[in-house]
Amino acid sequence: MSAGPARAPAYVGRFAPSPTGPLHAGSLVAALASWLDARSHGGRWLVRIEDVDTPRCVAGMDAVILGQLAACGLEPDAPPCWQSTRGDVYAQALQTLIDTGAAYPCDCTRREIDEALAAQGVVHERFAERIYPGTCRPRPDGTGGPRGRSRVAWRLRAGGVVDWDDRRLGPQQQDVASAVGDFVLRRADGVWAYQLAVVVDDAAQGVTDVVRGEDLADNTARQILLQSALGLPTPHYLHTPLVRGADGHKLSKQNGAAPLELGDATHAVGALQSAGSVLGLPAISATAPAAWLAAARPAWHGIMRGFATRSTS
C-alpha cells in the first residue's frame, strides 16, 4: 500500500516584537500583516517577545506591547513566548554548530574589525552592514583564530549564494560571504544574537510563514544558512512595506517614533486603518477593532492573490 502525498504543515505565523519601547506605527504594520496572513490561511498566530538582547530591553515593556496588541484586537492563539527563558536551547544549537565545525570563536573588537576593513580600502558607513573580514576564521594552514582573550564571540562560517522567493518582493539572492561575512551567533558579552535565536524559535514553534518588515529582508539569507546548518525547515517569507520618518529612514524606536495612541476604540481603529493603508488595504468603515479586522481579512486575501498572480506571470 503506497503512502499518499505528504500533507503540508498547518499555517503558523508570528509577531516578534522587542520590548525596547512601545509599539509605533511601523511595528503595527508588521503585526497587522502577520495577523491577517495567519487568519486568511485559517492558521494560528503567535506572539514571541524577543528580549534576548537584555541590555536594550525596558522593564515592563512586554506588558505594554501585549496591551497595545489587545487594544487593536490582535490576540495570539497561545500564551506568548519570551526568548530570555530559552538560553539553554540556544546553547544546545550553538554546540551543534561548534561540533560540526560550522561555528568558531572570535575575539575581535569592533575597532579592530573597522581597522581591518580600512586596510582593505573599505570604510564602514552608517546603517550599512559591517562585513566581517575573517580575521579570526581558522585557515587550513593553521593560521587565524582568536588572540587568546578571555571573552570571545562565536561566528558562523558563511559561504555560498542563497536564493529564496519572497511572497511580496519576489525572487531574492544574496552572497552572504561577500555581503555580510561570518556573522555572530553569540556576542562576547554572552548575549545571544538575533539570527540564532530567531531561527531556533521559529523551528521550535512550528512557524511556517514569517511576515515582517522589509528592513529585515536582508537577514533572510543568514537565517536560511543557519536553518540548513542546524537541519531545520525554512519557512515562507513575506516582507511588508516600511513606514518612514521625515528623514526618509525607517520609522523606529531609535529615531524617536511616537508610541501608538490607543486610548479608546476610535483611536485603535484609526491606528489599524493607518497600518492597513501602508499594506494597500482600502478604507474600512468600522467603530471597533474587531469589526475593522473582520472586514480587512478578505481585502488582505485579495492583495495576496495579486502577489501570487504577479509572481507566476
Side-chain angles (χ1 to χ4, degrees):
M1 180 177 178
S2 61
R7 295 182 62 185
Y11 184 108
V12 179
R14 51 74 165 175
F15 175 59
S18 299
T20 56
L23 297 183
H24 53 75
S27 44
L28 183 59
V29 169
L32 176 61
S34 62
W35 186 92
L36 286 172
D37 205 54
R39 292 295 179 258
S40 70
H41 284 85
R44 301 174 70 233
W45 185 69
L46 309 177
V47 172
R48 181 169 69 231
I49 303 298
E50 294 199 335
D51 59 344
V52 70
D53 192 354
T54 50
R56 294 181 58 239
C57 295
V58 178
M61 195 53 64
D62 50 353
V64 171
I65 290 172
L66 293 173
Q68 290 177 299
L69 292 172
C72 291
L74 304 177
E75 298 277 4
D77 295 315
C81 167
W82 277 260
Q83 283 187 333
S84 57
T85 67
R86 295 178 52 74
D88 290 346
V89 183
Y90 306 146
Q92 291 173 10
L94 176 60
Q95 191 60 53
T96 296
L97 296 170
I98 294 171
D99 292 344
T100 59
Y104 65 88
C106 167
D107 60 4
C108 293
T109 66
R110 182 171 294 184
R111 179 177 178 179
E112 287 169 341
I113 292 172
D114 286 342
E115 289 173 348
L117 290 173
Q120 299 173 7
V122 178
V123 179
H124 176 65
E125 298 179 5
R126 188 185 182 196
F127 301 122
E129 192 71 53
R130 182 179 271 101
I131 302 171
Y132 183 64
T135 312
C136 287
R137 185 175 189 171
R139 300 178 180 86
D141 62 2
T143 61
R147 300 160 182 75
R149 292 170 177 149
S150 58
R151 298 202 311 173
V152 298
W154 286 89
R155 293 182 179 271
L156 185 84
R157 293 176 180 266
V161 175
V162 177
D163 296 276
W164 75 100
D165 189 65
D166 186 276
R167 291 172 50 206
R168 171 176 166 260
L169 301 176
Q172 303 291 306
Q173 184 181 86
Q174 186 183 77
D175 183 338
V176 179
S178 61
V180 180
D182 298 344
F183 54 92
V184 172
L185 304 171
R186 188 176 189 179
R187 296 183 345 203
D189 60 3
V191 172
W192 294 103
Y194 163 75
Q195 307 295 354
L196 180 66
V198 72
V199 163
V200 170
D201 288 341
D202 280 344
Q205 293 185 289
V207 172
T208 61
D209 288 74
V210 172
V211 178
R212 60 190 180 187
E214 191 175 336
D215 58 310
L216 295 174
D218 183 63
N219 290 273
T220 307
R222 277 171 275 181
Q223 291 164 17
I224 292 173
L225 282 181
L226 264 175
Q227 289 153 3
S228 177
L230 290 168
L232 301 176
T234 294
H236 303 290
Y237 289 94
L238 188 158
H239 290 88
T240 62
L242 300 179
V243 178
R244 300 189 180 276
D247 59 0
H249 293 299
K250 167 203 166 188
L251 194 66
S252 69
K253 300 164 190 174
Q254 286 74 27
N255 63 14
L260 292 173
E261 291 286 346
L262 301 172
D264 54 27
T266 299
H267 284 96
V269 168
L272 288 169
Q273 185 63 64
S274 295
S277 66
V278 175
L279 296 170
L281 297 174
I284 296 171
S285 178
T287 58
W292 191 95
L293 292 169
R297 287 170 62 176
W300 175 262
H301 188 67
I303 290 173
M304 290 301 98
R305 247 191 343 234
F307 286 148
T309 300
R310 185 181 65 186
S311 66
T312 57
S313 61

